[in-house]
Structures are given as structure tokens and as C-alpha cells.
Amino acid sequence: MVVVGVVGYVKTPRGLRSLCTVWAQHLSEEVRRRFYKNWAKSKKKAFTKYSKKHETEEGKKDIQSQLEKIKKYCTVIRVLAHTQIRKMKGLKQKKAHLNEIQVNGGDIAKKVDYAYSLFEKQVPVDAIFQKDEMIDIIGVTKGKGYEGVVTRWGVTRLPRKTHRGLRKVACIGAWHPARVSYTVARAGQNGYHHRTEMNKKIYRLGKVGQETHTAMTEFDRTEKDISPMGGFPHYGIVKDDYLMIKGCCVGPKKRVVTLRQTLLKQTSRVALEEIKLKFIDTSSNGGHGRFQTAEEKAKFYGRVKA
């Protein structure tokens, strides 16, 4: 992610209120697209005047005065960071996702200075997360559309001889109160829900150009890429930094997810143990997967074409 701004919040009786926002001088096209509904038909003028503030003495003074204002009045400091969506080659979308990330630790002045020092810099994944940590994953689940009560809520089917269908709830409540309670299972939208999955352990943190980006382990020294043969179905080859987590992850392939550090103090043995991976399976996910590498497959089959 790339940090492009800082925003300060003041506490009010009605909750937090943003006081002012300071943006970086250079914003990439992918984040400026976020401020338009139709980028192609627009004049593409977003932040052109604001970036000139950083060049003039008067503008610099204004930016510094805003930073001083944040230091003086604000209690919560967050950086504005956006994704680098152009790195996702198989994705049609060109518009970056923009979100706020809270800065913790130290006093307010140090937080603001730290946030300002990150402007226009990339924040790598290993700067936030480490191996063997527990993290939470926030995302939107796979959409299933409009589904009935049996699939959606797991209620029991009615007997076979039932009149007017059997995949139903037989009684949806008493005569009074004369409304259907929210606790009664009904048909409706299933999936495409916002969910937070807690306590996912990081098994591996892969950095491009290092051994951690390959599927080599201390026990298995076969030189092979982390992507399975033929790539991940509906995704492709992993070319950038990655996190390997234990268990499943919400949503379909290529859907954006938010990772955050755990909110709880981890004390269990599962959370604190150090993981040593012995073997990473890189056989094809598109079939039965007999071979770990292309060389192994070629060696087994030999020359198959005259």
C-alpha cells in the first residue's frame, strides 16, 4: 500500500469528527480515479491545484499550519493509504481502494510526524505483519443470490407428502403478536455479507527475491515457485509479496480483503507456537495434481511427441 495523506480526528459528545486532512504532493492515477465516476470522460483535474501548494512558500506554510492544527487539537491520527491495483494483472479494475489506517504509539506530535514521513512511500506487508502472528481478516463473502430457508438457515425439510412444497418453515409464528418475528427463518439474500474472521495464523510471509517467496522449506529443498503448477485457478501466478495463512479466507478470488492485527492479547499455545513448515504442495489445483514441478512431469512422461 502507498500512504498519500493524513487525517486528524477530534472527540465530540457525538463521537469522532474529522478536523482536517493533509494530502501528499504526488498522487498516482490509480488513486485519483477513486474520485471520479467516469475517469475517461472527466477532465482529470483532481488534486492538480492542491499539488501546487507544495511548490509555493505560501502553500507550504498552509500545509504546515494544518499539521500544527492536527497536533494541537486532534486525539486520533490516521493515514490515508491506497492499494496498488495495477500490480494485479488479471484484474479489469484500475481504480485503487482507499482507506484509513490508524497510527498508534507515542504522543500526537510524533504520530503526525511519522505519518507525514510516510507520504508517497510504499508500506510493505512485512512492516505490519510477522510470521507466526495471529491476524483478523475482514471482507465480503461469496454471493449466493436469493435462496430458500433450507439452504439459507439449515432448517429441516418437511415430510414428503406435504401440500404446497416441503423446503419451507411450517409455522412462522403465533397469531399474536400479529407480525412475523425476526427470529423466524425466511427465504432471502444469502452470501455477499460483510464478515470479520478472527485469529488466522500467518504460516509464511513471502518477499519477492528471497527464498521465502519460493516453496522451498528447511526439509524440502526442491526449487519450485509458491504458485501451483498452472497457477491458482481463477487467479494465476503469485508474483508479488504474499501471506500464507492457516484456514480459509472470505470471498471469491481477487476480491479485496482487509488484514488487521488481532485486537486481543493472544495467550493460547496455538497462537504462540512457532510454525516450521516441512512441505508445501505445488501440484496442480486444476486436476488431480500428480507432479510438484514441470521438470518432474517431463521426467516422468519423457518425450511424448515425435
Side-chain angles (χ1 to χ4, degrees), residues 43-281:
K43 292 181 180 175
K44 305 173 180 57
K45 300 282 281 181
F47 291 94
T48 49
K49 286 181 182 176
Y50 190 93
S51 62
K52 285 173 186 169
K53 264 190 179 184
H54 288 268
E55 294 164 11
T56 62
E57 287 300 318
E58 198 180 320
K60 283 178 183 173
K61 277 182 187 174
D62 182 39
I63 286 164
Q64 284 305 316
S65 69
Q66 282 189 313
L67 290 170
E68 291 302 322
K69 192 179 174 185
I70 292 173
K71 287 178 186 178
K72 188 176 179 183
Y73 297 108
C74 293
T75 53
V76 175
I77 308 299
R78 294 176 186 169
V79 295
L80 289 152
H82 71 84
T83 55
Q84 296 163 284
I85 202 143
R86 67 174 180 272
K87 288 190 172 182
M88 284 280 291
K89 297 296 182 210
L91 206 60
K92 197 174 75 169
Q93 187 176 335
K94 297 176 185 176
K95 192 184 288 189
H97 301 93
L98 184 68
N99 69 339
E100 291 181 1
I101 303 170
Q102 193 153 307
V103 180
N104 296 324
D107 58 8
I108 299 299
K110 283 181 181 174
K111 286 181 189 179
V112 175
D113 292 336
Y114 175 68
Y116 190 68
S117 69
L118 289 175
F119 274 20
E120 297 177 33
K121 289 181 184 172
Q122 293 185 23
V123 180
V125 69
D126 60 334
I128 313 294
F129 304 112
Q130 273 77 44
K131 185 181 171 291
D132 300 320
E133 254 187 352
M134 294 294 242
I135 62 169
D136 299 342
I137 297 180
I138 304 159
V140 178
T141 59
K142 282 183 185 176
K144 310 285 185 184
Y146 192 99
E147 286 191 322
V149 281
V150 174
T151 309
R152 194 177 183 219
W153 296 106
V155 300
T156 309
R157 291 189 319 157
L158 298 175
R160 183 189 60 81
K161 292 170 74 101
T162 311
H163 183 47
R164 295 205 185 108
L166 51 84
R167 295 177 66 88
K168 293 169 176 280
V169 173
C171 176
I172 59 169
W175 191 314
H176 291 290
R179 357 176 224 285
V180 180
S181 170
Y182 74 95
T183 54
V184 178
R186 307 304 304 262
Q189 170 66 28
N190 194 20
Y192 205 67
H193 305 306
H194 187 276
R195 293 286 178 265
T196 302
E197 284 203 76
M198 298 172 75
N199 297 344
K200 299 284 184 186
K201 196 171 181 75
I202 298 175
Y203 274 5
R204 198 178 178 94
L205 202 153
K207 289 283 288 177
V208 174
Q210 297 180 13
E211 191 184 299
T212 52
H213 199 271
T214 65
M216 289 170 70
T217 63
E218 201 179 318
F219 302 89
D220 176 32
R221 304 305 296 168
T222 312
E223 289 187 13
K224 53 185 181 177
D225 192 50
I226 192 67
S227 303
M229 285 181 68
F232 285 99
H234 305 285
Y235 180 85
I237 307 294
V238 176
K239 294 176 182 171
D240 293 294
D241 298 351
Y242 70 86
L243 284 180
M244 184 191 286
I245 59 161
K246 183 188 178 182
C248 55
C249 180
V250 293
K253 281 78 175 170
K254 299 180 186 172
R255 180 166 290 169
V256 66
V257 293
T258 305
L259 310 178
R260 74 166 182 215
Q261 290 185 332
T262 179
L263 303 180
L264 311 168
K265 184 169 172 59
Q266 299 291 338
T267 53
S268 69
R269 289 174 69 177
V270 172
L272 300 175
E273 73 171 331
E274 187 190 347
I275 298 294
K276 279 193 177 178
L277 295 178
K278 292 195 172 183
F279 176 73
I280 298 171
D281 183 24

